[in-house]
Amino acid sequence: LTAIFAMMDQKESENISDNLRWSIDMRMRAGKYNTCTAPFGYRLFKGKLELIPEQVPIIRYIYEAYLSGKTAGDIAAALNLFSKGKLWKPQRIDYILTNERYIGDAMLGKTFTTDCISKRVKKNNGERGQSYVRNNHPAIIPREMFYRVQEEMARRSSKRKVMQKTGKTFLWG
């Protein structure tokens, strides 16, 4: 009897999960879905992203510094000199440099929950649908600057790969 009730509860949980997933997919397709967390520089207000004026110059500095030749580590170290809160790390800088939210767009469906039982979140590599919404919220960075940073990141990444293949160690200063 207990096993039967457990099966019924699991099936009900799966149905609720499927209904929620369908609802999220429909809102993503309509461009009305927004995440529950806002990236640095933004806050959620009534379901919409709005700018935090004190943080906008920091985001702009990160992009300008990267384009001027600084690494993510250099930028994080510089920000840590003036930061009073959470420490800046190179991974956080890389996240900011690659996040389309800073040009006012939103890629919806970057991650998904594998199932309602384990609730494991997985990066979406095409297993589920994604939606890209242009001009979803106010931009901090001009599109041209964002795309120049993406090109520079790709250039630096390919330079690293070539150096790794040759087996030579270089120290960049």
Side-chain angles (χ1 to χ4, degrees), residues 21 24-25 28-29 107-112 124 126-132:
R21 186 175 299 124
I24 289 169
D25 287 345
M28 281 187 348
R29 288 183 188 158
M107 171 63 88
L108 307 175
K110 289 180 183 178
T111 60
F112 66 95
N124 187 357
E127 295 93 340
R128 303 272 169 89
Q130 293 180 318
S131 298
Y132 193 86

Side-chain angles (χ1 to χ4, degrees), residues 52-135:
I52 300 174
E54 312 84 63
Q55 295 177 353
V56 169
I58 297 169
I59 299 296
R60 289 192 178 132
Y61 165 76
I62 290 170
Y63 277 82
E64 290 165 1
Y66 192 82
L67 286 175
S68 72
K70 291 190 175 15
T71 65
D74 296 339
I75 297 167
L79 289 172
N80 282 330
L81 294 175
F82 304 103
S83 179
K84 293 182 179 117
K86 186 176 175 183
L87 280 179
W88 288 87
K89 296 183 179 176
Q91 296 85 352
R92 189 173 179 200
I93 302 299
D94 286 337
Y95 173 79
I96 288 171
L97 291 171
T98 57
N99 193 339
E100 78 289 339
R101 297 279 174 146
Y102 295 108
I103 58 173
D105 295 352
M107 171 63 88
L108 307 175
K110 289 180 183 178
T111 60
F112 66 95
T113 306
T114 55
D115 61 72
C116 64
I117 306 300
S118 70
K119 296 184 173 142
R120 202 178 88 205
V121 176
K122 185 177 174 189
K123 184 177 178 185
N124 187 357
N125 292 315
E127 295 93 340
R128 303 272 169 89
Q130 293 180 318
S131 298
Y132 193 86
V133 183
R134 289 179 63 100
N135 303 318

Side-chain angles (χ1 to χ4, degrees), residues 103-105 132-135 141-148:
I103 58 173
D105 295 352
Y132 193 86
V133 183
R134 289 179 63 100
N135 303 318
I141 301 299
R143 278 183 198 283
E144 306 79 46
M145 180 183 276
F146 180 80
Y147 293 130
R148 282 197 332 250

